[in-house]
Amino acid sequence: MEIEFSRRLKKLPPYLFVEIDKKKKSAIEKGIDIISLGVGDPDLPTPKHIIDAMKIAVEKPKHHQYPFGAGLIEFRKAVADWYRNRFNMNLNPQNEIHSLIGSKEGIGHIHLAYVNPGDIVLVPEPGYPVYNCGTIFSDGTPHFLPLTEKNNFLPDLEKIPEKVAKKSKILFINYPNNPTSATATLEFYERVVKFAQKYNVIVCSDLAYSEIYFDGKKPPSFLQVKGAKDVGVEFHSLSKTYNMTGWRLGWACGNKDIIAGLSKVKDNYDSGVFGAVQEAGVVALTSSQNCVEKMRKIYQNRRDIFTDELNKIGWSVKKPEATFYVWTKVPKGYTSADTVGKLLDEAGIICTPGNGLGPSGEGYVRFALTVSETRLKQAVEKISKIKW
Ligand SMILES: *Cc1c(COP(=O)(O)O)cnc(C)c1O
């Protein structure tokens, strides 16, 4: 029998991190000491009180059956309280919050609720690949919004042609941003709301990095802006805040009708988040947030060491205000791919080529600060030996 992938599957770009992982494995086989600053996956463990809560929850027979639906009401209430404390805004746990099997799952599925074949989805680039993959899976058409240094890595909504804006169903935004580490202001979010109202576009704000901020500068939520809840939803996750990427727990919140569409898709695809994981999530969100403060300090120290050391050896690297990414221009005369190749071959450093996350990322690389200070110092030491 001849097995043929669907057109949809063939249209997908190769998943970047699978490619990077292959290169990493082959370098390890050659006996090279690899320092991996590639994938954005926290190296720190999940805080102990959350693990302890999980151990208790996993024993409860009520969690051994299908969880179904929007999630435990206790979890949704915990999310609402967390939003109130952090962003001073109200969400109704009954219909404005929906649990997700990690936010990637919701970000990838929402298109199926709102995008018809040929509809346009506004996708920032460079960016998290899932915004585009979801568009392809729903037979939508991506219209890419370049994020450039000149615009502080914010999309220029004025530049979107009228014809495109009118056919657009969804606009994705993501601040603090992966990969550029840029942050957004409430003033930017106000412009987004105006755009969405004018063109009847659903806004999907990806807030995964809201708690990884430095120097006390707390990033805002899109939903804080007047009118935002009429036009959009926000995706959030425990993954980065509590080092829980493996647990798969996130949520969507905001406009209840938009949530209802996502819920309908999910009811037909999955059966919810493991109840015990949700119960541990309640403990994470409602306990003391000291563990988050500690984590921020660790990332901030890493950021300072890595950027200061790189600048000492002649790079010109800005300190990010948020996220655990350092997004920086490559040496003059090199492409992103050249630079990634040289860093791997000559220094054993894995990083992400900027153009792998979108054409406007050409000329940049992304380093993830997900290794210890000692390893980061070693990394710069190794980079300093490269002849450019
Ligand atoms: C890590 C990350 C997420 C979170 O993914 P989960 O599925 O919740 O683990 C979402 N958006 C971006 C941009 C990310 O980098």
Side-chain angles (χ1 to χ4, degrees), residues 102-104 107 128 131 174 178 206 208-209 237 239-240 248 325:
S103 60
K104 181 181 185 179
I107 292 166
Y128 190 51
Y131 315 135
N174 165 223
N178 173 9
D206 179 351
Y209 293 96
S237 162
S239 286
K240 311 289 159 61
R248 313 314 302 132
Y325 300 114

PDB file of all heavy atoms in Angstrom, residues 102-104 107 128 131 174 178 206 208-209 237 239-240 248 325, ligand 1:
ATOM      1  N   GLY A 102      -1.443  21.779  28.722  1.00  0.00           N
ATOM      2  CA  GLY A 102      -0.352  22.667  28.312  1.00  0.00           C
ATOM      3  C   GLY A 102      -0.938  23.697  27.358  1.00  0.00           C
ATOM      4  O   GLY A 102      -1.880  23.404  26.615  1.00  0.00           O
ATOM      5  N   SER A 103      -0.405  24.921  27.382  1.00  0.00           N
ATOM      6  CA  SER A 103      -1.029  25.950  26.539  1.00  0.00           C
ATOM      7  C   SER A 103      -0.806  25.688  25.057  1.00  0.00           C
ATOM      8  O   SER A 103      -1.606  26.099  24.225  1.00  0.00           O
ATOM      9  CB  SER A 103      -0.553  27.350  26.941  1.00  0.00           C
ATOM     10  OG  SER A 103       0.836  27.483  26.805  1.00  0.00           O
ATOM     11  N   LYS A 104       0.262  24.972  24.702  1.00  0.00           N
ATOM     12  CA  LYS A 104       0.507  24.639  23.294  1.00  0.00           C
ATOM     13  C   LYS A 104      -0.712  23.951  22.671  1.00  0.00           C
ATOM     14  O   LYS A 104      -1.081  24.220  21.530  1.00  0.00           O
ATOM     15  CB  LYS A 104       1.725  23.718  23.208  1.00  0.00           C
ATOM     16  CG  LYS A 104       2.111  23.309  21.793  1.00  0.00           C
ATOM     17  CD  LYS A 104       3.328  22.382  21.833  1.00  0.00           C
ATOM     18  CE  LYS A 104       3.826  22.041  20.433  1.00  0.00           C
ATOM     19  NZ  LYS A 104       5.027  21.169  20.479  1.00  0.00           N
ATOM     20  N   ILE A 107      -3.366  26.589  21.985  1.00  0.00           N
ATOM     21  CA  ILE A 107      -2.906  27.489  20.927  1.00  0.00           C
ATOM     22  C   ILE A 107      -2.994  26.769  19.567  1.00  0.00           C
ATOM     23  O   ILE A 107      -3.341  27.367  18.562  1.00  0.00           O
ATOM     24  CB  ILE A 107      -1.447  27.952  21.218  1.00  0.00           C
ATOM     25  CG1 ILE A 107      -1.420  28.867  22.444  1.00  0.00           C
ATOM     26  CG2 ILE A 107      -0.846  28.651  20.007  1.00  0.00           C
ATOM     27  CD1 ILE A 107      -0.020  29.106  23.018  1.00  0.00           C
ATOM     28  N   TYR A 128       6.798  31.615  17.972  1.00  0.00           N
ATOM     29  CA  TYR A 128       6.498  30.246  18.409  1.00  0.00           C
ATOM     30  C   TYR A 128       5.829  29.519  17.228  1.00  0.00           C
ATOM     31  O   TYR A 128       4.836  30.015  16.688  1.00  0.00           O
ATOM     32  CB  TYR A 128       5.548  30.368  19.597  1.00  0.00           C
ATOM     33  CG  TYR A 128       5.263  29.128  20.392  1.00  0.00           C
ATOM     34  CD1 TYR A 128       6.284  28.321  20.885  1.00  0.00           C
ATOM     35  CD2 TYR A 128       3.943  28.782  20.703  1.00  0.00           C
ATOM     36  CE1 TYR A 128       5.994  27.213  21.658  1.00  0.00           C
ATOM     37  CE2 TYR A 128       3.645  27.677  21.481  1.00  0.00           C
ATOM     38  CZ  TYR A 128       4.685  26.892  21.953  1.00  0.00           C
ATOM     39  OH  TYR A 128       4.396  25.799  22.721  1.00  0.00           O
ATOM     40  N   TYR A 131       1.611  28.829  16.271  1.00  0.00           N
ATOM     41  CA  TYR A 131       0.609  29.740  15.681  1.00  0.00           C
ATOM     42  C   TYR A 131       0.421  29.405  14.201  1.00  0.00           C
ATOM     43  O   TYR A 131      -0.695  29.404  13.691  1.00  0.00           O
ATOM     44  CB  TYR A 131       1.044  31.207  15.802  1.00  0.00           C
ATOM     45  CG  TYR A 131       1.583  31.619  17.158  1.00  0.00           C
ATOM     46  CD1 TYR A 131       2.735  32.394  17.273  1.00  0.00           C
ATOM     47  CD2 TYR A 131       0.933  31.238  18.327  1.00  0.00           C
ATOM     48  CE1 TYR A 131       3.229  32.784  18.504  1.00  0.00           C
ATOM     49  CE2 TYR A 131       1.424  31.617  19.569  1.00  0.00           C
ATOM     50  CZ  TYR A 131       2.577  32.384  19.647  1.00  0.00           C
ATOM     51  OH  TYR A 131       3.069  32.758  20.864  1.00  0.00           O
ATOM     52  N   ASN A 174       2.403  37.719  21.505  1.00  0.00           N
ATOM     53  CA  ASN A 174       3.123  36.956  22.531  1.00  0.00           C
ATOM     54  C   ASN A 174       4.180  37.839  23.204  1.00  0.00           C
ATOM     55  O   ASN A 174       5.265  38.001  22.685  1.00  0.00           O
ATOM     56  CB  ASN A 174       3.765  35.716  21.863  1.00  0.00           C
ATOM     57  CG  ASN A 174       4.823  35.036  22.720  1.00  0.00           C
ATOM     58  OD1 ASN A 174       5.893  34.641  22.225  1.00  0.00           O
ATOM     59  ND2 ASN A 174       4.563  34.883  23.988  1.00  0.00           N
ATOM     60  N   ASN A 178       8.846  35.172  22.930  1.00  0.00           N
ATOM     61  CA  ASN A 178       9.772  34.131  22.504  1.00  0.00           C
ATOM     62  C   ASN A 178       9.807  34.235  20.980  1.00  0.00           C
ATOM     63  O   ASN A 178       8.760  34.124  20.363  1.00  0.00           O
ATOM     64  CB  ASN A 178       9.222  32.768  22.945  1.00  0.00           C
ATOM     65  CG  ASN A 178      10.041  31.611  22.402  1.00  0.00           C
ATOM     66  OD1 ASN A 178      11.110  31.803  21.839  1.00  0.00           O
ATOM     67  ND2 ASN A 178       9.527  30.405  22.563  1.00  0.00           N
ATOM     68  N   ASP A 206      -0.530  35.165  24.006  1.00  0.00           N
ATOM     69  CA  ASP A 206       0.215  34.065  24.630  1.00  0.00           C
ATOM     70  C   ASP A 206       1.092  34.664  25.732  1.00  0.00           C
ATOM     71  O   ASP A 206       2.058  35.369  25.450  1.00  0.00           O
ATOM     72  CB  ASP A 206       1.056  33.384  23.541  1.00  0.00           C
ATOM     73  CG  ASP A 206       1.895  32.237  24.071  1.00  0.00           C
ATOM     74  OD1 ASP A 206       1.973  32.048  25.294  1.00  0.00           O
ATOM     75  OD2 ASP A 206       2.486  31.519  23.236  1.00  0.00           O
ATOM     76  N   ALA A 208       2.801  33.076  28.232  1.00  0.00           N
ATOM     77  CA  ALA A 208       3.546  32.012  28.916  1.00  0.00           C
ATOM     78  C   ALA A 208       4.687  32.520  29.802  1.00  0.00           C
ATOM     79  O   ALA A 208       5.039  31.883  30.789  1.00  0.00           O
ATOM     80  CB  ALA A 208       4.097  31.033  27.885  1.00  0.00           C
ATOM     81  N   TYR A 209       5.254  33.695  29.433  1.00  0.00           N
ATOM     82  CA  TYR A 209       6.456  34.166  30.143  1.00  0.00           C
ATOM     83  C   TYR A 209       6.178  35.325  31.098  1.00  0.00           C
ATOM     84  O   TYR A 209       7.108  36.022  31.500  1.00  0.00           O
ATOM     85  CB  TYR A 209       7.536  34.574  29.134  1.00  0.00           C
ATOM     86  CG  TYR A 209       8.068  33.383  28.373  1.00  0.00           C
ATOM     87  CD1 TYR A 209       7.573  33.053  27.117  1.00  0.00           C
ATOM     88  CD2 TYR A 209       9.040  32.554  28.933  1.00  0.00           C
ATOM     89  CE1 TYR A 209       8.042  31.938  26.428  1.00  0.00           C
ATOM     90  CE2 TYR A 209       9.513  31.448  28.257  1.00  0.00           C
ATOM     91  CZ  TYR A 209       9.012  31.140  27.003  1.00  0.00           C
ATOM     92  OH  TYR A 209       9.477  30.043  26.341  1.00  0.00           O
ATOM     93  N   SER A 237       0.117  29.276  31.303  1.00  0.00           N
ATOM     94  CA  SER A 237       0.609  27.940  31.540  1.00  0.00           C
ATOM     95  C   SER A 237       1.421  27.889  32.811  1.00  0.00           C
ATOM     96  O   SER A 237       2.009  28.898  33.222  1.00  0.00           O
ATOM     97  CB  SER A 237       1.499  27.589  30.341  1.00  0.00           C
ATOM     98  OG  SER A 237       2.349  26.521  30.623  1.00  0.00           O
ATOM     99  N   SER A 239       3.929  25.920  32.940  1.00  0.00           N
ATOM    100  CA  SER A 239       5.199  25.352  32.459  1.00  0.00           C
ATOM    101  C   SER A 239       6.421  26.163  32.849  1.00  0.00           C
ATOM    102  O   SER A 239       7.377  25.634  33.400  1.00  0.00           O
ATOM    103  CB  SER A 239       5.170  25.222  30.931  1.00  0.00           C
ATOM    104  OG  SER A 239       4.341  24.160  30.552  1.00  0.00           O
ATOM    105  N   LYS A 240       6.403  27.456  32.536  1.00  0.00           N
ATOM    106  CA  LYS A 240       7.594  28.258  32.731  1.00  0.00           C
ATOM    107  C   LYS A 240       7.626  28.838  34.141  1.00  0.00           C
ATOM    108  O   LYS A 240       8.687  28.986  34.729  1.00  0.00           O
ATOM    109  CB  LYS A 240       7.662  29.375  31.676  1.00  0.00           C
ATOM    110  CG  LYS A 240       7.442  28.899  30.236  1.00  0.00           C
ATOM    111  CD  LYS A 240       8.594  28.081  29.689  1.00  0.00           C
ATOM    112  CE  LYS A 240       8.226  27.196  28.500  1.00  0.00           C
ATOM    113  NZ  LYS A 240       7.747  27.838  27.304  1.00  0.00           N
ATOM    114  N   ARG A 248       2.213  19.203  31.719  1.00  0.00           N
ATOM    115  CA  ARG A 248       1.156  19.576  30.781  1.00  0.00           C
ATOM    116  C   ARG A 248      -0.066  20.164  31.484  1.00  0.00           C
ATOM    117  O   ARG A 248      -1.098  19.526  31.630  1.00  0.00           O
ATOM    118  CB  ARG A 248       0.732  18.385  29.879  1.00  0.00           C
ATOM    119  CG  ARG A 248       1.847  17.583  29.246  1.00  0.00           C
ATOM    120  CD  ARG A 248       2.940  18.411  28.604  1.00  0.00           C
ATOM    121  NE  ARG A 248       2.469  19.299  27.567  1.00  0.00           N
ATOM    122  CZ  ARG A 248       2.825  20.598  27.499  1.00  0.00           C
ATOM    123  NH1 ARG A 248       3.631  21.148  28.392  1.00  0.00           N
ATOM    124  NH2 ARG A 248       2.385  21.336  26.518  1.00  0.00           N
ATOM    125  N   TYR A 325      15.467  34.030  27.450  1.00  0.00           N
ATOM    126  CA  TYR A 325      16.167  34.002  26.164  1.00  0.00           C
ATOM    127  C   TYR A 325      17.043  35.230  25.987  1.00  0.00           C
ATOM    128  O   TYR A 325      16.665  36.333  26.382  1.00  0.00           O
ATOM    129  CB  TYR A 325      15.166  33.969  25.010  1.00  0.00           C
ATOM    130  CG  TYR A 325      14.258  32.765  25.046  1.00  0.00           C
ATOM    131  CD1 TYR A 325      12.894  32.901  25.256  1.00  0.00           C
ATOM    132  CD2 TYR A 325      14.788  31.478  24.896  1.00  0.00           C
ATOM    133  CE1 TYR A 325      12.063  31.792  25.308  1.00  0.00           C
ATOM    134  CE2 TYR A 325      13.958  30.368  24.951  1.00  0.00           C
ATOM    135  CZ  TYR A 325      12.599  30.527  25.157  1.00  0.00           C
ATOM    136  OH  TYR A 325      11.784  29.440  25.222  1.00  0.00           O
TER     137      TYR A 325
HETATM  138  C1  LIG B   1       6.884  27.483  26.398  1.00  0.00           C
HETATM  139  C2  LIG B   1       5.898  28.268  25.653  1.00  0.00           C
HETATM  140  C3  LIG B   1       4.539  28.047  25.850  1.00  0.00           C
HETATM  141  C4  LIG B   1       4.030  27.070  26.885  1.00  0.00           C
HETATM  142  O1  LIG B   1       3.823  25.838  26.395  1.00  0.00           O
HETATM  143  P1  LIG B   1       3.104  24.742  27.296  1.00  0.00           P
HETATM  144  O2  LIG B   1       2.391  23.926  26.280  1.00  0.00           O
HETATM  145  O3  LIG B   1       2.179  25.434  28.222  1.00  0.00           O
HETATM  146  O4  LIG B   1       4.185  23.980  27.973  1.00  0.00           O
HETATM  147  C5  LIG B   1       3.630  28.809  25.143  1.00  0.00           C
HETATM  148  N1  LIG B   1       4.056  29.768  24.293  1.00  0.00           N
HETATM  149  C6  LIG B   1       5.353  30.012  24.091  1.00  0.00           C
HETATM  150  C7  LIG B   1       5.754  31.097  23.181  1.00  0.00           C
HETATM  151  C8  LIG B   1       6.315  29.257  24.750  1.00  0.00           C
HETATM  152  O5  LIG B   1       7.600  29.494  24.526  1.00  0.00           O
END
